[in-house]
């Protein structure tokens, strides 16, 4: 199965990359854009895991490596059974 | 006194650190491969700058799960053992949880490589004991992720505990909170700093202020703590 994890900077944490993209979009004339946040997407292909245990495994991976809880939030979902 | 310089895949300031300690300071120094865990011979271990694992995922994130970091967790429990993380080494110490907070991209999104002035906020640490409190040191920085961040509660606690060791003076190059350039742990035996003291230990390089930090470490270790 494939799990998708979306990692974003927490609300309130400055996102300089988002700010730069915002400026560029506005320069292109997209005046309706008021804020941009840039995150990242991680896809994991897992094998031999019960569906009921995926959450625990993914959360442990996020806590130990994939996400820095000081500055980042994340969401995950199974995108392919 | 015996120093060790850890080499991760992607470290690139390891030889500069070795040179500063061995050739300029004249102390014993050895390289430590990141897979080594036999480190009890050393008195002070340096995590050098560079781009460990290409900064993949986050700067320092992958290095933090290497064998040497596991060994360092035991090492620093002995307060007489010192660890100094410089630049990428500081990022690794944050990711590994030796020090509180995290690094963000520089506010201006640029890689900044220049001399900056930093103030010694706390001289009662093994790393700054030969400095005056409030003394300004001229040390170069070279980084893309030096924008130190900590939530309000953490910031308050590191200020109150004297863990803020260096702050940028007059000019904050990267947007770091409270102008922080370097912090230590509560026990004061682990220091992380973005400026590179190993790059300014000889007149030829424009400043010798970096030597004050290395000399402080030696003085502290020898018990000869003088102003």
């Amino acid at each position: 199965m494939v799990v998708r994890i979306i990692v974003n900077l927490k609300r309130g944490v400055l996102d300089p990359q988002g700010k730069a993209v915002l400026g560029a979009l506005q320069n292109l004339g997209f005046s309706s854009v008021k804020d941009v946040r840039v995150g990242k997407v991680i896809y994991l292909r897992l094998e031999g895991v019960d569906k009921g245990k995926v959450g625990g495994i993914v959360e442990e991976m996020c806590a130990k490596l994939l996400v820095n809880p000081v500055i980042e939030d994340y969401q995950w979902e199974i995108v392919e059974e | 006194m015996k120093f060790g310089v850890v080499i991760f895949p992607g470290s690139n300031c390891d030889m500069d650190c070795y040179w500063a300690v061995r050739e300029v300071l004249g102390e014993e120094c050895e390289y430590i491969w990141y897979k080594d865990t036999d480190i009890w011979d050393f008195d002070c271990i340096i995590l050098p700058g560079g781009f460990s694992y290409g900064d993949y995922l986050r700067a320092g994130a992958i290095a933090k799960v290497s064998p040497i970091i596991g060994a360092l967790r035991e090492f620093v429990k002995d307060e007489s053992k010192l660890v100094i993380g410089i630049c990428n080494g500081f990022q690794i110490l944050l990711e590994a949880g030796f020090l509180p907070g995290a690094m963000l991209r520089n506010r201006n999104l640029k890689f900044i490589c220049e001399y900056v002035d930093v103030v010694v906020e706390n001289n009662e640490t093994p790393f700054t004991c030969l400095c005056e409190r409030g003394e300004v040191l001229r040390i170069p920085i070279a980084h893309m992720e030096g924008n130190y961040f900590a939530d309000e509660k953490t910031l308050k606690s590191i200020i109150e505990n004297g863990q803020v060791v260096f702050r940028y003076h007059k000019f904050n190059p990267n947007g770091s909170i409270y102008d922080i350039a370097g912090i230590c742990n509560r026990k004061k035996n682990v220091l992380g700093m973005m400026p590179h003291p190993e790059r300014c230990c000889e007149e030829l390089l424009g400043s010798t202020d970096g030597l004050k930090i290395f000399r402080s470490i030696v003085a502290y270790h020898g018990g000869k703590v003088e102003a």
Side-chain angles (χ1 to χ4, degrees), chain B residues 101-169:
Chain B
M103 282 300 172
L104 296 169
R105 284 258 179 110
N106 292 345
R107 185 174 43 192
N108 63 4
L109 283 176
K110 286 181 183 160
F111 186 95
I112 308 167
C113 183
E114 62 188 15
Y115 264 99
V116 295
D117 289 338
V118 295
V119 183
V120 177
E121 282 285 299
N122 186 352
N123 65 346
E124 293 174 1
T125 81
F127 311 95
T128 51
C129 60
L130 294 186
C131 303
E132 300 287 333
R133 188 158 186 238
E135 183 175 349
V136 176
L137 304 178
R138 197 164 162 266
I139 306 181
I141 55 168
H143 60 250
M144 181 80 173
E145 270 106 12
N147 183 352
Y148 178 78
F149 173 83
D151 61 36
E152 257 177 59
K153 197 178 144 207
T154 307
L155 181 63
K156 190 163 175 276
S157 92
I158 62 174
I159 293 172
E160 283 175 2
N161 294 326
Q163 289 174 254
V164 178
V165 181
F166 298 113
R167 292 177 73 197
Y168 297 110
H169 181 56

Side-chain angles (χ1 to χ4, degrees), chain B residues 2-27:
Chain B
K2 190 170 176 182
F3 284 80
V5 178
V6 178
I7 305 175
F8 293 98
S11 294
N12 66 12
C13 301
D14 41 345
M15 294 178 84
D16 305 58
C17 289
Y18 184 92
W19 175 270
V21 171
R22 187 75 195 81
E23 303 298 330
V24 184
L25 206 60
E27 294 293 323

Side-chain angles (χ1 to χ4, degrees), chain B:
Chain B
M1 173 167 197
K2 190 170 176 182
F3 284 80
V5 178
V6 178
I7 305 175
F8 293 98
S11 294
N12 66 12
C13 301
D14 41 345
M15 294 178 84
D16 305 58
C17 289
Y18 184 92
W19 175 270
V21 171
R22 187 75 195 81
E23 303 298 330
V24 184
L25 206 60
E27 294 293 323
E28 199 181 340
C29 191
E30 278 178 24
Y31 290 115
I32 305 171
W33 188 234
Y34 74 106
K35 287 184 175 171
D36 289 349
T37 53
D38 184 11
I39 53 175
W40 285 98
D41 265 5
F42 296 96
D43 302 301
C44 177
I45 291 181
I46 303 173
L47 303 183
F51 297 86
S52 58
Y53 294 91
D55 274 357
Y56 293 162
L57 197 62
R58 300 175 305 276
I62 300 185
K64 80 169 171 180
V65 298
S66 56
I68 181 70
I69 297 299
L72 279 181
R73 286 187 201 283
E74 291 302 311
F75 186 79
V76 300
K77 284 181 186 168
D78 179 343
E79 292 184 34
S80 70
K81 302 287 189 185
L82 306 177
V83 172
I84 171 170
I86 300 164
C87 197
N88 188 229
F90 185 10
Q91 293 162 342
I92 295 168
L93 290 172
L94 291 170
E95 279 286 342
F98 287 77
L99 298 172
M103 282 300 172
L104 296 169
R105 284 258 179 110
N106 292 345
R107 185 174 43 192
N108 63 4
L109 283 176
K110 286 181 183 160
F111 186 95
I112 308 167
C113 183
E114 62 188 15
Y115 264 99
V116 295
D117 289 338
V118 295
V119 183
V120 177
E121 282 285 299
N122 186 352
N123 65 346
E124 293 174 1
T125 81
F127 311 95
T128 51
C129 60
L130 294 186
C131 303
E132 300 287 333
R133 188 158 186 238
E135 183 175 349
V136 176
L137 304 178
R138 197 164 162 266
I139 306 181
I141 55 168
H143 60 250
M144 181 80 173
E145 270 106 12
N147 183 352
Y148 178 78
F149 173 83
D151 61 36
E152 257 177 59
K153 197 178 144 207
T154 307
L155 181 63
K156 190 163 175 276
S157 92
I158 62 174
I159 293 172
E160 283 175 2
N161 294 326
Q163 289 174 254
V164 178
V165 181
F166 298 113
R167 292 177 73 197
Y168 297 110
H169 181 56
K170 291 186 179 168
F171 169 67
N172 179 332
N174 51 32
S176 68
I177 200 162
Y178 194 59
D179 302 326
I180 282 173
I183 59 170
C184 64
N185 62 346
R186 268 174 181 261
K187 291 196 296 186
K188 315 265 190 296
N189 65 330
V190 178
L191 171 76
M193 62 188 296
M194 289 315 292
H196 286 267
E198 80 282 8
R199 292 192 186 180
C200 54
C201 289
E202 292 167 282
E203 286 296 348
L204 186 65
L205 299 175
S207 164
T208 56
D209 287 353
L211 257 190
K212 288 195 176 167
I213 292 167
F214 292 113
R215 281 194 177 133
S216 291
I217 294 170
V218 174
Y220 177 85
H221 187 259
K224 293 178 288 181
V225 183
E226 297 158 19

